[in-house]
């Protein structure tokens, strides 16, 4: 629920967003979707740390990838120790990356991918 509130408050002129939810047991796929659906259109840099969030699965990666802003240039995702992340989620992310992306860093240690 808190991610829904946070998402509603994102300013539309935001160009850089860094959020850390490491080890938050209440962060879910639904929360990640609520956040990603409100990402500002002109966002250029996104750093999102969801490491060790046990309720984050491939669905979160799929939903996030579908909502990435077209102007995004840098994306850093930490999904380390999210045990429900598999090749399916990573493949969905790869297919939906914005064409202008110049930097991509994805940490997947301790997932089904690693």
């Amino acid at each position: 629920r808190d991610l829904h509130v946070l998402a509603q408050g994102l300013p539309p002129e935001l160009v850089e967003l860094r959020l850390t939810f490491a080890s938050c047991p209440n962060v879910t796929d639904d929360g990640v979707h609520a956040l990603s659906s409100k990402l500002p259109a002109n966002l250029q840099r996104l750093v999102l740390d969801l490491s060790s969030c046990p309720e984050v699965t491939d669905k979160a990666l799929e939903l996030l990838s579908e909502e990435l802003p077209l102007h995004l240039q840098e994306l850093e995702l930490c999904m380390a120790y999210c045990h429900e992340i598999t090749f399916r989620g990573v493949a969905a992310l790869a297919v939906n990356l914005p064409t202008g992306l110049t930097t991509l860093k994805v940490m997947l240690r301790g997932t089904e991918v690693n």
Side-chain angles (χ1 to χ4, degrees), residues 42-94:
N42 292 322
L43 192 68
Q44 296 174 10
R45 183 160 199 243
L46 175 61
V47 178
L48 186 58
D49 184 351
L50 299 167
S51 58
S52 299
C53 292
E55 299 299 318
V56 172
T57 73
D58 281 338
K59 185 167 179 79
L61 261 182
E62 292 167 8
L63 295 168
L64 173 65
S65 71
E66 292 170 2
E67 301 286 351
L68 290 173
L70 295 176
H71 299 289
L72 195 67
Q73 297 173 5
E74 298 178 39
L75 176 60
E76 184 175 323
L77 293 174
C78 185
M79 311 294 281
Y81 302 103
C82 293
H83 302 291
E84 300 299 320
I85 299 294
T86 70
F87 285 103
R88 189 180 107 207
V90 174
L93 176 65

Side-chain angles (χ1 to χ4, degrees), residues 1-3 20-32 49-57 81-82:
R1 176 106 179 105
D2 292 337
L3 280 180
T20 299
F21 299 104
S23 300
C24 291
N26 296 326
V27 173
T28 65
D29 295 340
D30 184 50
V32 173
D49 184 351
L50 299 167
S51 58
S52 299
C53 292
E55 299 299 318
V56 172
T57 73
Y81 302 103
C82 293

